[in-house]
């Protein structure tokens, strides 16, 4: 399916956004990732977003931004550490293939570059792997990573940036 590009605005996320990003995360995992993982796996993975304190910790330690649609709704979000670990990137189920992830990745790469990072590393789902490969990431290893109770397959991927 071809990706259609839209124009997005961006803003930093705060603790006030936790309920919105928690719901986006949960909805995306339960619908989009269901194509590559079992119902039991996505249910377990989605439960990782239930803890508000965990979101607060992530928001305080990572650079978190949202891509907003023309009505200021969060179409997707991403986060990265100062050392180039791309912690998360989730796009709302209704905003798939509309350039949200590409726009967020560009912002993450810009952030990394301004922090002197030469390589971005991420742990990428089966579902997201083709997107990251298309954007220059290379699989370093396949692994089984614990979600909540279950271990799910994903990939450690890296990209050298300049």
């Amino acid at each position: 399916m071809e990706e259609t590009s839209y124009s997005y605005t961006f803003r930093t996320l705060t603790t006030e956004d936790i309920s919105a990003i928690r719901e986006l995360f949960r909805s995306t995992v339960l619908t989009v990732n269901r194509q590559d993982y079992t119902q039991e796996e996505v249910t377990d993975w989605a439960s990782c977003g239930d803890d508000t304190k965990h979101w607060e910790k992530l928001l305080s330690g990572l650079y978190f931004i949202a891509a907003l649609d023309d009505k200021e709704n969060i179409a997707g979000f991403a986060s990265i550490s100062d050392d180039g670990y791309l912690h998360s990137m989730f796009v709302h189920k209704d905003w798939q293939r509309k350039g949200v992830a590409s726009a967020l990745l560009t912002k993450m790469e810009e952030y990394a570059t301004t922090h002197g990072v030469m390589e971005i590393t991420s742990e990428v789902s089966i579902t997201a792997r083709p997107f990251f490969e298309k954007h220059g990431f290379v699989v370093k290893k396949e692994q089984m990573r614990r979600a909540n109770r279950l271990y799910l397959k994903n990939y450690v991927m890296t990209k050298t940036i300049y």
Side-chain angles (χ1 to χ4, degrees), residues 89-136:
M89 183 181 301
F90 290 91
V91 174
H92 190 284
K93 63 183 179 62
D94 298 335
W95 284 93
Q96 298 290 311
R97 301 197 182 283
K98 295 180 181 174
V100 177
S102 297
L104 285 166
L105 183 58
T106 297
K107 293 291 187 185
M108 296 292 103
E109 290 177 356
E110 289 169 0
Y111 180 86
T113 300
T114 63
H115 284 77
V117 171
M118 302 301 277
E119 182 177 76
I120 294 177
T121 302
S122 192
E123 294 176 77
V124 174
S125 69
I126 297 167
T127 313
R129 178 181 171 177
F131 167 84
F132 281 94
E133 287 177 329
K134 178 181 159 189
H135 287 85

Side-chain angles (χ1 to χ4, degrees), residues 34-98:
R34 182 62 182 91
Q35 66 188 322
D36 297 299
Y37 295 91
T38 67
Q39 186 62 50
E40 185 181 23
E41 288 172 328
V42 295
T43 300
D44 187 63
W45 181 5
S47 74
C48 294
D50 292 346
D51 183 2
T52 299
K53 293 237 181 287
H54 180 67
W55 284 108
E56 290 171 354
K57 182 179 175 186
L58 291 173
L59 284 160
S60 70
L62 299 168
Y63 174 64
F64 254 94
I65 64 164
L68 306 174
D69 67 16
D70 58 355
K71 294 180 179 80
E72 302 278 312
N73 296 312
I74 298 174
F77 68 87
S79 64
I80 192 168
S81 66
D82 288 347
D83 65 358
Y85 177 70
L86 181 64
H87 178 271
S88 58
M89 183 181 301
F90 290 91
V91 174
H92 190 284
K93 63 183 179 62
D94 298 335
W95 284 93
Q96 298 290 311
R97 301 197 182 283
K98 295 180 181 174

